[in-house]
Amino acid sequence: MDIIASGNTADIIEQENNMICKFFKTNYPLIYIEHKFNNVKSIRGLGIDTPTPYKMIHLDGRNGILYERVIGETLYSKLKDVTNEEREAWIDKFAGLHRKVLSHHVDNVIDFKDFLKIHASNSSDVISRIDALKNGDCLLHGDFHPGNVMVDAYNRLILIDMMNICRGPAEYDVARTYFLLEGNKEFQNKYLKYMGYKVKELIPYLEVIMLIREKELKQQNRIDYL
């Protein structure tokens, strides 16, 4: 079996019969893996294109999820060698997929405020800012960026990595994507235009996202976390 990719939390290993397994590190909590597995099943049930999750497995002391293998590349990789016209079209499709995700309303996943508070390091200032954000029940991916969108052999966009799925106002997820695109201003601004938002509408969410990111970076420095 060949390792296709490796990350901080898991290795992607090629399997027979057009499948892959995402094997998590030995110390990665089982409850998080179960959470991800259930999120993927819920997303597929809504008709959103994402790899089929077949089952959870345990092998050689590691837990994993067996998935359908998507033949293709990430949108991030795809955009490295395209014309300006093609890039525009892909950004439009990227935003269209995000709008499709946000069009669903759910009540069976964690609320985004509760999710954010997990990462707030018990900071009373951050928690009060989170509580001040408006509520919502849109389906939020929580980590929607070109590295988490695959382009398959038919140029379909396939959404991956469901670890941060939650529910809340669409503005939070749009702000999160806008923040994650900060290294590419052109993509960032065109994405926001296609989503129909202005930066000023996202400021309260961006402020919280940046505060939590600062705490995540401090945590990384202490325990070499993601």
Side-chain angles (χ1 to χ4, degrees):
M1 295 185 292
D2 295 327
I3 296 178
I4 299 172
S6 293
N8 292 310
T9 61
D11 298 316
I12 307 298
I13 299 177
E14 186 177 26
Q15 303 284 296
E16 297 177 346
N17 301 319
N18 201 33
M19 293 186 291
I20 60 161
C21 183
K22 186 168 187 176
F23 270 117
F24 294 86
K25 306 297 185 182
T26 53
N27 61 346
Y28 196 78
L30 178 61
I31 189 171
Y32 292 167
I33 302 171
E34 293 172 338
H35 173 72
K36 185 166 188 171
F37 182 64
N38 291 328
N39 280 344
V40 179
K41 289 196 297 183
S42 296
I43 287 286
R44 281 194 62 81
L46 295 173
I48 296 169
D49 287 331
T50 191
T52 303
Y54 293 116
K55 62 180 180 179
M56 293 180 56
I57 63 175
H58 183 84
L59 183 66
D60 295 333
R62 297 174 68 178
N63 294 302
I65 301 175
L66 197 64
Y67 287 102
E68 165 196 12
R69 182 176 184 179
V70 176
I71 306 300
E73 60 185 325
T74 65
L75 181 58
Y76 175 79
S77 296
K78 185 80 172 178
L79 290 171
K80 289 181 178 179
D81 188 26
V82 294
T83 65
N84 289 336
E85 184 178 356
E86 289 170 334
R87 182 178 292 105
E88 188 87 21
W90 282 116
I91 296 173
D92 189 12
K93 289 183 69 172
F94 175 79
L97 176 59
H98 204 181
R99 289 195 301 271
K100 181 177 180 180
V101 172
L102 295 171
S103 71
H104 293 281
H105 299 273
V106 294
D107 59 10
N108 63 338
V109 297
I110 187 173
D111 185 84
F112 87 112
K113 292 184 179 181
D114 294 330
F115 179 83
L116 288 173
K117 288 175 184 177
I118 294 171
H119 303 281
S121 302
N122 295 318
S123 167
S124 58
D125 175 56
V126 177
I127 289 173
S128 65
R129 285 171 177 263
I130 292 170
D131 284 332
L133 298 174
K134 74 176 186 180
N135 297 311
D137 65 352
C138 293
L139 174 64
L140 311 178
H141 182 267
D143 203 21
F144 194 91
H145 60 77
N148 278 337
V149 175
M150 297 286 294
V151 181
D152 73 5
Y154 302 98
N155 281 337
R156 294 178 302 189
L157 298 187
I158 311 294
L159 186 60
I160 62 173
D161 197 350
M162 307 300 168
M163 198 67 219
N164 296 339
I165 290 290
C166 53
R167 70 178 187 276
E171 288 88 345
Y172 166 71
D173 226 29
V174 174
R176 172 73 174 166
T177 299
Y178 181 82
F179 173 77
L180 292 171
L181 292 171
E182 65 179 350
N184 187 328
K185 293 298 183 183
E186 178 191 11
F187 196 149
Q188 190 183 50
N189 293 328
K190 287 181 177 179
Y191 160 78
L192 204 60
K193 181 185 74 172
Y194 285 128
M195 294 301 292
Y197 286 91
K198 297 185 182 300
V199 175
K200 64 181 180 181
E201 300 173 76
L202 309 179
I203 288 175
Y205 303 93
L206 288 169
E207 289 176 343
V208 167
I209 288 166
M210 287 186 284
L211 284 171
I212 288 179
R213 182 59 178 162
E214 288 175 8
K215 295 185 178 300
E216 286 178 346
L217 289 173
K218 289 178 182 178
Q219 184 75 352
Q220 286 177 27
N221 292 333
R222 289 200 302 272
I223 61 173
D224 194 27
Y225 170 75
L226 185 53

